[in-house]
Amino acid sequence: MPTKRQLPTARLRRLAREMRRLRSEAGLTREEIAASTAINQATLYRLEYAKGRPQKRTLLTLLKEYGVEESQREAILALSSQADEQGWLRPYHADLPDELVGYISFESEARSVRNYESLFIPGLLQTEDYARAVIRGVLPTVTAMEVEQRVQARIERQSVFEKDQPLELWAIVDEAALRRVVGNPKIMAEQLDHLVKVAAEPHVTLQVIPFGGGAHPGMLGGFVVMDFPDPDDPQLAYTETASGELFLEADEDIRRCGQSFDHLRALALSPGHSASLITSMARELV
């Protein structure tokens, strides 16, 4: 039986950040903690960087070492007990890449997502046929079963719009992503019509950067910035590169992504003009 993976959640990140803060305020290094508690440095590193949820006895030992008062200790223990709750998890997710499952986890907990894409329709706005065609095109060596698993995961992600507090999505798409015919003209026309329909929802804002907009920061590649409901949960950025997917947590990286998104938002067509442009593109395909 495969080993159960510790999958990331916003609460696990919050716990990790809190444990780093407590150790820092206590003026202790990981080496000193390892020497005084017999908790090895690898375990401490995993705990402080959300690589795993600590056992209760380990957490209690550390909180005592850091001089944490009882009321705060109980709050941290409660946070730890909830750190790996994942109501979004499906059995077949075990077969998906860790980076993809991690992304799904964070997205399911986010309050808002800012997403820029230069070559693809954003995943939360894709139709099933478009998703299937784009996954087959981008990953030509995966099996038919793997394609269907990824398609199912992508469509299920869109349930974030059906929650009592729907995810707020602000998506900016380069015109190139809309002009590229993925699958065939019929699939692409249906995808464009779907974009216009979804963009009319109050929790979705969609803008297009036209070819006439010239060079812009988004030409470096797509990225996502997530905000979470609890103010104690730090923002998270995500980007995909030729060498793999990256989660960005450093303040400077997140600030840079936020500034780029603001620049793109100012450069893009208004939501109304964007919808008109997408509608005209769909008509050209039928």
Side-chain angles (χ1 to χ4, degrees):
M1 179 176 292
T3 303
K4 182 180 178 181
R5 295 177 292 179
Q6 176 66 60
L7 301 172
T9 68
R11 289 179 292 275
L12 189 61
R13 288 178 67 227
R14 193 194 316 166
L15 175 65
R17 186 180 67 164
E18 184 68 4
M19 295 308 293
R20 292 199 304 271
R21 183 187 67 79
L22 290 170
R23 180 174 60 78
S24 176
E25 289 183 353
L28 297 169
T29 66
R30 280 199 289 269
E31 291 84 356
E32 290 170 333
I33 292 298
S36 63
T37 66
I39 299 172
N40 65 60
Q41 292 186 49
T43 298
L44 289 169
Y45 176 84
R46 288 179 57 80
L47 188 161
E48 292 186 357
Y49 287 92
K51 304 298 183 182
R53 184 167 68 88
Q55 295 182 350
K56 184 175 180 180
R57 64 175 179 271
T58 299
L59 193 55
L60 285 170
T61 298
L62 292 173
L63 295 177
K64 181 180 179 180
E65 195 76 10
Y66 300 155
V68 176
E69 296 181 356
E70 183 175 355
S71 59
Q72 186 180 10
R73 184 166 65 243
E74 291 303 316
I76 293 173
L77 289 171
L79 176 61
S80 178
S81 69
Q82 301 166 0
D84 55 1
E85 292 179 1
Q86 296 154 337
W88 52 271
L89 191 63
R90 301 291 183 269
Y92 70 88
H93 284 171
D95 298 323
L96 297 175
D98 287 353
E99 294 81 3
L100 176 57
V101 177
Y103 184 89
I104 295 172
S105 170
F106 290 128
E107 185 181 70
S108 71
E109 296 185 73
R111 178 194 66 201
S112 65
V113 166
R114 287 167 282 167
N115 184 190
Y116 166 75
E117 295 293 347
S118 57
L119 297 174
F120 304 97
I121 304 300
L124 287 173
L125 302 178
Q126 292 180 10
T127 64
E128 183 173 337
D129 288 339
Y130 178 96
R132 183 173 291 107
V134 82
I135 291 169
R136 285 174 176 166
V138 173
L139 302 171
T141 61
V142 301
T143 67
M145 178 178 294
E146 290 172 326
V147 169
E148 292 308 312
Q149 287 176 336
R150 286 174 178 258
V151 170
Q152 187 175 0
R154 190 160 299 183
I155 299 306
E156 285 182 355
R157 282 170 50 198
Q158 298 172 10
S159 65
V160 293
F161 294 137
E162 300 169 3
K163 299 188 296 184
D164 292 339
Q165 294 291 329
L167 176 77
E168 297 175 8
L169 172 66
W170 195 310
I172 302 177
V173 184
D174 194 280
E175 185 175 344
L178 304 173
R179 292 289 183 187
R180 181 174 297 278
V181 178
V182 172
N184 57 50
K186 180 175 182 293
I187 288 175
M188 199 65 204
E190 290 174 348
Q191 173 63 79
L192 296 178
D193 286 338
H194 178 71
L195 281 180
V196 175
K197 179 180 177 181
V198 177
E201 297 293 330
H203 50 271
V204 177
T205 301
L206 176 63
Q207 291 181 269
V208 175
I209 297 182
F211 286 145
H216 58 77
M219 294 173 70
L220 294 172
F223 61 91
V224 173
V225 180
M226 298 183 187
D227 293 275
F228 298 91
D230 195 310
D232 289 331
D233 292 332
Q235 290 180 319
L236 179 68
Y238 172 87
T239 186
E240 295 180 354
T241 68
S243 58
E245 299 81 5
L246 296 173
F247 287 104
L248 307 175
E249 300 186 66
D251 291 343
E252 181 57 33
D253 290 332
I254 293 172
R255 182 163 49 249
R256 184 174 62 251
C257 288
Q259 290 172 343
S260 294
F261 195 87
D262 289 342
H263 187 94
L264 295 169
R265 183 165 49 191
L267 181 65
L269 299 175
S270 69
H273 286 124
S274 296
S276 296
L277 176 61
I278 296 170
T279 298
S280 68
M281 290 183 189
R283 290 172 179 165
E284 293 172 7
L285 292 170
V286 294

